[in-house]
């Protein structure tokens, strides 16, 4: 009996020692990754720097060593975006491991971490580097070791796993948003997403936050069950998808998305976020936990979004539709009278109008634009100058190219009708008589072409009356205008 007890104790001790040694080995590997990604030669991994390219090359070399499969002929998902007046090239790094369950392997779990950071700043003759150890060399290092485990244990995942090192997170989640909008697999087949962003300070609070785990039905229950196996402490297992990291575009698409996070305990966005300050034992514990959690989730028969997430995604889709905008516009140009049945026309005079407009989106390329304008129009006739002060209400339909944050230029054509109410005016020095001689109401049409750049609009507009100016009708007279239009959307 004593021998049996001793055997069991020795066996348990050997398992504990093996686990301890494995944890230490993983911690050392994680530390190596972080030290390389935060070295001075990588210059803080800022967009457009040589250091950013070195970080990318290192991650690709690790994907190759691990043996991750490629979508297409490379690990890169290339895109570009506008930052100010410059176009910035960027690259997500994407690889995958095929699942072992024939009925589940066409469904996917995404495990991601952004690899870009703030780069450096110049202070006189010195270069101040922002290493970004916790933010987010820690997350990149963790997903590399998670990927390594599943590559070496092919039966440990039922669903297929996609590993992504996102670019341009610090510039507005550009990489993760591009991935969702240009997903290498059918986006509806992605069942769950994890973003490991700042996972290097576990011991500071002795807990890891799983923000958004409850956006998955039974997500919290599964997470706690796996935590008991690994001895990790969890907190903040809410259903709210974190909008300040790469989980946001996935949540907005209706995909349960979890931010794995150890809190703001590091020198966030400061030069002091160095590799030697991270808790690598805690990172190893989190990496082991994520392996256990992902493995368990990958064999669940169904991964279902929580009702609160579906409500959030629906609201986001409604909110992200182009919104109605208001603005101010000014038309400056010329006007004249056209004598329809005569062989001549009047000479042109200066004309202008100014007022407010609304821009109402109907689709991505069609907009309706009503306007309310004070209008000063007229003509040079043989008696002298003919002038009217009017209230003009055009209603145009625009058809044009799409205008987005990355493509802020839009070309369009437009056309529609207008109503003009004449408030008053003079012919030479005589006041216009709208009771006996002239019509107070006028109808006509507008047409033109235009260009929008950011909030500014420039266009060329023609305005043609279809109703006559004078009541006597001896020679039908119609108003004609042409304008250069400048507008600003608030």
């Amino acid at each position: 009996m004593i021998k049996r007890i001793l055997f069991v104790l020795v066996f348990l001790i050997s398992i504990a020692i093996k686990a301890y040694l494995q944890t230490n080995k993983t911690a050392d590997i994680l530390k190596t990754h972080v030290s390389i990604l935060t070295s001075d030669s990588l210059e803080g991994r800022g967009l457009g720097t040589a250091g950013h390219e070195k970080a990318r090359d290192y991650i690709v070399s690790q994907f190759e060593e691990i043996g991750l499969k490629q979508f297409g002929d490379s690990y890169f998902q290339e895109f570009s975006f506008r930052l100010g007046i410059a176009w910035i090239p960027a690259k997500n790094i994407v690889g995958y491991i095929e699942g072992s369950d024939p009925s589940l392997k066409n469904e996917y779990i995404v495990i991601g971490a952004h690899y870009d950071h703030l780069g450096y700043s110049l202070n006189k003759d010195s270069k101040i580097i922002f290493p970004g150890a916790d933010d987010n060399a820690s997350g990149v290092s963790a997903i590399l070791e998670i990927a390594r485990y599943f590559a070496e244990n092919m039966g440990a995942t039922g669903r297929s796993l996609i590993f992504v090192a996102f670019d341009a997170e610090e510039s507005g989640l550009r990489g993760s948003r591009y991935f969702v909008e240009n997903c290498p697999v059918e986006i509806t087949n992605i069942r769950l997403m994890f973003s490991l962003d700042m996972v290097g300070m576990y011991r500071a609070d002795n807990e890891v936050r799983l923000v958004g785990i409850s956006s998955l039905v039974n997500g919290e229950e599964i997470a706690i069950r796996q935590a008991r196996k690994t001895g990790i402490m969890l907190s903040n297992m809410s259903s709210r998808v974190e909008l300040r990291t790469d989980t946001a575009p996935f949540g907005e698409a209706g995909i349960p998305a979890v931010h794995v996070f150890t809190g703001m305990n590091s020198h966030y966005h400061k030069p002091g976020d160095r590799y030697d300050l991270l808790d690598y034992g805690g990172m190893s514990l989190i990496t082991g936990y994520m392996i256990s959690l992902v493995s368990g989730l990958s064999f669940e028969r169904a991964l279902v979004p929580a009702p609160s997430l579906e409500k959030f995604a629906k609201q986001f889709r409604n909110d992200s539709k182009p919104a109605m905008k208001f603005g101010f516009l000014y038309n400056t140009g010329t006007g004249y009278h056209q004598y329809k049945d005569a062989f001549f026309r009047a000479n042109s005079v200066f004309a202008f109008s100014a007022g407010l407009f609304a821009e109402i989106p109907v689709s991505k390329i069609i907009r309706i634009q009503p306007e309310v304008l004070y209008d000063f129009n007229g003509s040079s006739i043989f008696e002298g100058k003919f002038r009217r002060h009017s209230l003009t209400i055009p209603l145009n339909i625009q058809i044009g190219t799409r205008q987005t944050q990355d493509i802020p230029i839009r070309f369009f054509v437009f056309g529609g009708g207008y109503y003009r109410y004449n408030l008053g005016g003079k012919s030479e020095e005589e006041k216009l008589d709208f009771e006996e001689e002239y019509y107070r109401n006028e109808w006509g049409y507008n047409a033109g072409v235009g260009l929008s750049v950011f909030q500014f609009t420039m266009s060329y507009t023609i305005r043609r009356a279809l109703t006559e100016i004078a009541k006597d009708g001896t020679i039908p007279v119609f108003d004609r205008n042409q304008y250069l239009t400048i507008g600003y959307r608030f």
Side-chain angles (χ1 to χ4, degrees):
M1 183 69 178
I2 295 174
K3 288 183 178 180
R4 185 176 295 177
I5 294 172
L6 288 173
F7 174 79
V8 172
L9 286 174
V10 170
F11 177 72
L12 292 175
I13 291 169
S14 66
I15 291 175
I17 292 171
K18 184 178 178 181
Y20 174 77
L21 293 174
Q22 183 60 41
T23 298
N24 279 354
K25 180 182 176 183
T26 302
D28 289 341
I29 295 171
L30 291 167
K31 187 173 184 179
T32 298
H33 289 320
V34 176
S35 65
I36 291 171
L37 290 170
T38 59
S39 64
D40 286 350
S41 64
L42 268 65
E43 302 176 300
R45 306 187 305 280
L47 289 173
T49 64
H52 186 259
E53 294 181 10
K54 290 178 182 178
R56 182 188 300 148
D57 291 343
Y58 179 74
I59 296 167
V60 168
S61 73
Q62 292 299 303
F63 273 35
E64 290 172 341
E65 179 185 304
I66 291 166
L68 296 184
K69 294 183 177 181
Q70 300 174 352
F71 291 106
D73 57 2
S74 86
Y75 290 116
F76 291 137
Q77 188 184 49
E78 299 186 35
F79 62 100
S80 61
F81 63 95
R82 183 181 289 276
L83 197 61
I85 62 173
W87 281 95
I88 308 298
K91 293 180 182 179
N92 292 331
I93 307 167
V94 186
Y96 74 100
I97 293 171
E98 189 172 356
S100 62
D101 189 320
S103 64
L104 295 175
K105 68 179 183 179
N106 291 324
E107 297 179 7
Y108 299 86
I109 297 174
V110 173
I111 304 164
H114 75 89
Y115 70 95
D116 65 302
H117 195 51
L118 302 181
Y120 60 86
S121 64
L122 297 175
N123 183 13
K124 296 181 180 179
D125 297 329
S126 63
K127 181 184 288 187
I128 301 173
I129 295 173
F130 295 79
D134 194 24
D135 184 22
N136 185 35
S138 65
V140 174
S141 302
I143 71 164
L144 290 177
E145 293 314 298
I146 295 169
R148 193 183 310 278
Y149 173 85
F150 284 107
E152 293 174 354
N153 298 271
M154 297 300 290
T157 178
R159 289 177 172 83
S160 297
L161 306 179
I162 299 176
F163 293 89
V164 191
F166 294 113
D167 203 354
E169 188 268 358
E170 301 286 2
S171 301
L173 315 181
R174 304 284 187 156
S176 52
R177 197 166 299 283
Y178 185 85
F179 179 89
V180 170
E181 294 174 354
N182 301 272
C183 192
V185 300
E186 184 63 43
I187 191 69
T188 55
N189 289 336
I190 294 180
R191 295 291 185 259
L192 179 63
M193 185 270 181
F194 290 97
S195 172
L196 282 73
D197 191 356
M198 300 179 65
V199 294
M201 302 296 287
Y202 177 73
R203 298 298 179 194
D205 290 325
N206 258 350
E207 62 183 21
V208 59
R209 297 160 173 81
L210 295 183
V211 183
I213 190 66
S214 294
S215 64
L216 177 74
V217 170
N218 297 325
E220 181 176 354
E221 176 188 333
I222 296 168
I224 292 172
R225 186 166 68 237
Q226 296 296 336
R228 292 194 184 110
K229 297 178 182 179
T230 57
I232 200 166
M233 301 298 293
L234 305 179
S235 71
N236 197 355
M237 292 178 282
S238 67
S239 62
R240 178 184 61 84
V241 173
E242 178 57 65
L243 300 180
R244 295 172 296 176
T245 190
D246 290 315
T247 49
F250 290 86
E252 290 161 0
I255 299 167
V258 185
H259 180 203
V260 185
F261 176 55
T262 55
M264 303 290 290
N265 298 298
S266 57
H267 295 271
Y268 175 69
H269 282 191
K270 294 179 181 178
D273 187 11
R274 305 192 317 268
Y275 90 96
D276 57 305
L277 299 180
L278 298 194
D279 168 21
Y280 294 101
M283 283 177 62
S284 178
L285 189 62
I286 291 168
T287 301
Y289 171 68
M290 289 303 300
I291 289 169
S292 176
L293 179 60
V294 169
S295 181
L297 287 165
S298 75
F299 285 103
E300 289 285 326
R301 286 298 95 187
L303 297 177
V304 181
S308 60
L309 176 64
E310 294 180 330
K311 182 179 179 181
F312 165 76
K314 183 178 180 180
Q315 183 62 47
F316 172 78
R317 286 192 292 272
N318 291 335
D319 290 346
S320 64
K321 291 178 181 178
M324 181 168 66
K325 296 182 179 180
F326 298 90
F328 172 83
L329 60 80
Y330 176 76
N331 299 303
T332 182
T334 59
Y336 66 90
H337 290 168
Q338 178 72 50
Y339 296 83
K340 184 176 179 182
D341 297 331
F343 62 89
F344 60 89
R345 49 156 277 191
N347 293 325
S348 300
V349 293
F350 171 73
F352 77 90
S353 59
L356 302 174
F357 71 89
E359 191 174 86
I360 305 168
V362 177
S363 71
K364 293 177 180 178
I365 63 171
I366 299 175
R367 301 177 186 180
I368 296 174
Q369 182 166 309
E371 304 167 14
V372 178
L373 308 171
Y374 164 73
D375 192 347
F376 185 57
N377 58 82
S379 182
S380 178
I381 58 178
F382 61 89
E383 294 98 342
K385 294 283 180 68
F386 182 96
R387 288 295 195 183
R388 292 185 303 183
H389 302 275
S390 311
L391 176 68
T392 302
I393 305 175
L395 179 63
N396 293 312
I397 297 176
Q398 295 182 3
I399 301 176
T401 58
R402 292 183 62 187
Q403 187 174 20
T404 66
Q405 185 178 10
D406 290 337
I407 307 175
I409 300 174
R410 177 175 182 262
F411 298 93
F412 60 90
V413 296
F414 64 90
Y418 75 86
Y419 166 71
R420 177 180 282 159
Y421 180 83
N422 295 303
L423 302 168
K426 290 183 179 181
S427 178
E428 190 54 26
E429 294 300 324
E430 292 186 14
K431 187 176 180 180
L432 299 182
D433 181 359
F434 289 106
E435 298 298 326
E436 301 293 334
E437 296 186 53
Y438 299 99
Y439 290 108
R440 191 174 288 278
N441 300 297
E442 180 178 298
W443 299 88
Y445 67 89
N446 318 281
V449 295
L451 169 69
S452 290
V453 181
F454 296 104
Q455 291 131 305
F456 295 92
T457 299
M458 295 170 287
S459 61
Y460 172 74
T461 306
I462 61 170
R463 188 164 292 149
R464 300 287 185 261
L466 296 175
T467 56
E468 298 179 40
I469 293 173
K471 293 182 176 181
D472 65 11
T474 306
I475 300 178
V477 182
F478 299 88
D479 190 56
R480 301 286 186 261
N481 300 108
Q482 54 191 26
Y483 300 107
L484 175 65
T485 301
I486 299 175
Y488 178 78
R489 294 190 296 273
F490 303 136

